[in-house]
């Protein structure tokens, strides 16, 4: 997905939001913004917003010396998600269609996105989004693909959110799928890492791998061989959140993108309203298939 001129403003916002997490010193915040400004003239809008954003977080870490500015925020997100997990799980169990409800729960968890700085109330927003219809709903197509033994790769997104991904994984395992879950190798924004996967209980359910990098979404040039092989050998891929759709939408594999559209650039690309939830199928390119 290409970037838009609006993405440049968002880069400054992401930088300032992150700087404020670390320090109240205006001189440090200004230095970060100055460094971002020096990058603007180099920006290639043909690149994805995720790829452009990665440089911003590198700048923040270089200026402050803090490699994981969102560490505490991630801990809080995980703690809050685990607190309400039993109630959310009960909603899925009691529903007429647990798989569809679990899809809504998983996408509701996508509100936990700290980089762009939007406000949310986890308990209240999840209860609302569970009842909200998908603006793009390809769940019927998805259900038809759930056949015993098929390989499914689940690309996770944020800490906290990953707790609700676990509930969807539990439902998908009932279809006897061969599921692998994926997180980031190292911290980037509030994206989930192996530590978060263990805390969420995912490592007790399915194999968990990393992308091999700390990129936002997927950057194949920096991904591990293990990740690339798993991606290419998977018959179904669920990809959560903005970063994954921004970087994977043109990949040839069979993708289902599950997210809340949180900015005008992404919502415009999807032809939905900002704030809508989406479960979008991007079928495999016919010239490329891993199916037997």
């Amino acid at each position: 997905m290409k970037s838009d001129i609006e993405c440049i403003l968002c880069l400054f916002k992401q930088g300032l939001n992150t700087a404020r997490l670390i320090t109240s010193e205006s001189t440090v915040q200004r230095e970060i913004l100055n460094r971002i400004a020096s990058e603007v003239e180099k920006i290639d809008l043909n690149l994805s917003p995720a790829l452009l954003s990665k440089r911003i977080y590198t700048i923040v870490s270089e200026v402050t010396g803090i490699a994981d500015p969102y560490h505490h925020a991630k801990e809080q997100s995980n703690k809050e998600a685990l607190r309400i997990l039993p109630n959310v799980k009960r909603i899925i169990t009691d529903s007429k269609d647990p798989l569809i409800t679990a899809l809504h729960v998983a996408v509701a968890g996508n509100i936990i996105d700290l980089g762009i700085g939007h406000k949310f109330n986890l308990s209240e927003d999840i209860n609302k989004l569970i009842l909200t219809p998908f603006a793009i709903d390809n769940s019927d197509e998805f259900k038809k693909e759930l056949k015993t033994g098929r390989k499914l790769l689940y690309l996770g997104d944020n800490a906290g959110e990953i707790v609700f991904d676990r509930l969807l994984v539990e439902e998908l395992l009932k279809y006897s799928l061969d599921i692998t879950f994926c997180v980031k190798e190292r911290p980037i924004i509030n994206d989930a890492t192996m530590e978060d996967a263990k805390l969420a209980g995912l490592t007790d359910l399915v194999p968990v791998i990393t992308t091999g990098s700390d990129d936002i979404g997927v950057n194949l040039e920096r991904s591990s061989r293990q990740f690339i092989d798993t991606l290419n050998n998977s018959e179904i891929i669920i990809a959560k959140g903005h970063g994954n759709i921004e970087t994977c939408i043109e990949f040839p594999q069979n993708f289902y993108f599950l997210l809340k559209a949180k900015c005008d650039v992404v919502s415009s690309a999807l032809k939905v309203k900002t704030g809508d939830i989406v479960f979008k199928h991007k079928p495999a390119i016919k010239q490329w298939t891993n199916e037997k």
Side-chain angles (χ1 to χ4, degrees):
M1 181 183 294
K2 293 182 179 180
S3 297
D4 184 271
I5 195 72
E6 291 184 23
C7 296
I8 295 175
L9 293 176
C10 189
L11 296 179
F12 283 99
K13 185 176 181 181
Q14 290 176 68
L16 185 57
N17 286 341
T18 308
R20 284 173 170 164
L21 274 181
I22 302 170
T23 179
S24 59
E25 290 289 334
S26 60
T27 53
V28 177
Q29 295 172 2
R30 179 62 186 269
E31 183 180 353
I32 289 169
L33 293 178
N34 287 344
R35 289 276 301 274
I36 294 171
S38 70
E39 297 284 327
V40 168
E41 63 180 358
K42 308 173 192 174
I43 285 176
D44 181 358
L45 294 179
N46 289 311
L47 300 176
S48 70
L51 193 56
L52 296 184
S53 295
K54 176 64 168 63
R55 177 61 185 147
I56 302 310
Y57 296 100
T58 301
I59 288 172
V60 173
S61 293
E62 288 173 349
V63 172
T64 64
I66 305 297
D68 188 7
Y70 287 89
H71 179 75
H72 178 69
K74 288 188 292 183
E75 285 185 335
Q76 292 301 113
S77 294
N78 283 327
K79 183 177 179 180
E80 176 64 9
L82 288 168
R83 184 186 68 80
I84 67 174
L85 179 64
N87 290 335
V88 176
K89 187 169 185 175
R90 194 175 304 114
I91 292 171
I92 294 173
T93 302
D94 294 344
S95 68
K96 293 181 179 179
D97 192 333
L99 176 61
I100 297 300
T101 304
L103 281 168
H104 278 78
V105 165
V107 77
N110 192 232
I111 60 175
I112 306 173
D113 193 337
L114 305 179
I116 57 178
H118 75 285
K119 295 181 179 180
F120 63 89
N121 181 300
L122 189 56
S123 297
E124 292 181 6
D125 290 348
I126 280 187
N127 286 329
K128 290 177 184 176
L129 289 172
I130 286 174
L131 302 174
T132 301
F134 286 112
I136 299 175
D137 186 357
N138 293 143
S139 56
D140 287 341
E141 294 176 42
F142 181 66
K143 281 185 171 182
K144 292 176 183 177
E145 296 210 49
L146 304 183
K147 300 174 183 177
T148 298
R150 296 196 85 192
K151 294 183 183 296
L152 185 148
L153 175 62
Y154 195 125
L155 303 182
D157 192 11
N158 300 316
E161 175 181 353
I162 199 174
V163 172
F164 305 112
D165 292 326
R166 166 186 148 186
L167 297 177
L168 177 53
V169 169
E170 288 176 347
E171 290 302 316
L172 291 170
L173 284 171
K174 295 177 182 178
Y175 292 82
S176 299
L177 298 163
D178 182 358
I179 301 173
T180 299
F181 198 93
C182 184
V183 293
K184 299 298 162 56
E185 175 70 21
R186 297 178 298 279
I188 179 68
I189 325 179
N190 62 317
D191 285 21
T193 62
M194 192 65 73
E195 180 183 356
D196 301 301
K198 290 176 181 177
L199 189 63
L202 275 161
T203 52
D204 296 327
L205 292 176
V206 295
V208 180
I209 64 171
T210 77
T211 58
S213 78
D214 57 355
D215 289 278
I216 302 168
V218 174
N219 182 349
L220 292 179
E221 293 183 0
R222 286 166 36 89
S223 296
S224 67
R225 185 75 258 167
Q226 180 190 34
F227 172 77
I228 293 172
D229 288 345
T230 304
L231 178 71
N232 287 334
N233 290 324
S234 295
E235 294 151 296
I236 307 167
I237 301 154
I238 296 176
K240 291 290 297 295
H242 272 214
N244 282 321
I245 194 168
E246 289 169 11
T247 54
C248 300
I249 190 65
E250 295 176 358
F251 284 9
Q253 295 89 352
N254 183 35
F255 272 86
Y256 285 87
F257 294 103
L258 185 58
L259 69 149
K260 180 178 180 180
K262 302 172 198 144
C263 77
D264 292 342
V265 174
V266 170
S267 58
S268 177
L270 291 171
K271 296 181 173 57
V272 299
K273 297 177 182 177
T274 299
D276 281 347
I277 57 173
V278 169
F279 189 46
K280 176 181 175 59
H281 185 204
K282 197 286 301 176
I285 296 173
K286 290 183 179 179
Q287 290 82 359
W288 184 98
T289 178
N290 61 357
E291 294 196 14
K292 310 295 186 290

